[in-house]
Amino acid sequence: REVASLYPAVARVMLTGQADKALVVEALNNGLVHRFLEKPCDPLDLKLAVHSAHQAQVEARTLAVGSTRWMSELGVDCALPR
């Protein structure tokens, strides 16, 4: 939760060897992490998880920029988080 609150625009991938299943489910359900992986983790799975998280962030940013432009055209002042 701390990382999500400090860096809300960053996609998070959790890689752990000692997972509390309830904590993992809560993190995924609350959008605190994009993907969860357990050790040992195949390097390709990690690469795909990071790529997927990046793509999700790019898509979210694209939607936010489009929405901001649309709101601006309506005369509504709004700023995107960095």
Side-chain angles (χ1 to χ4, degrees):
R1 291 182 193 270
E2 186 176 344
V3 172
S5 66
L6 291 173
Y7 308 99
V10 174
R12 290 159 298 280
V13 175
M14 181 186 286
L15 174 64
T16 183
Q18 299 179 345
D20 175 349
K21 300 296 183 194
L23 184 62
V24 170
V25 169
E26 180 185 347
L28 289 168
N29 287 342
N30 291 324
L32 300 174
V33 295
H34 176 77
R35 183 79 47 91
F36 168 78
L37 302 168
E38 285 188 88
K39 291 179 184 178
C41 175
D42 183 285
L44 181 58
D45 289 339
L46 179 57
K47 183 177 180 179
L48 291 172
V50 170
H51 178 74
S52 173
H54 174 70
Q55 285 302 112
Q57 289 301 105
V58 168
E59 291 170 10
R61 186 72 176 169
T62 300
L63 284 172
V65 168
S67 295
T68 300
R69 286 187 186 136
W70 182 73
M71 297 291 282
S72 177
E73 289 174 5
L74 291 175
V76 177
D77 185 27
C78 58
L80 291 176
R82 295 202 183 264

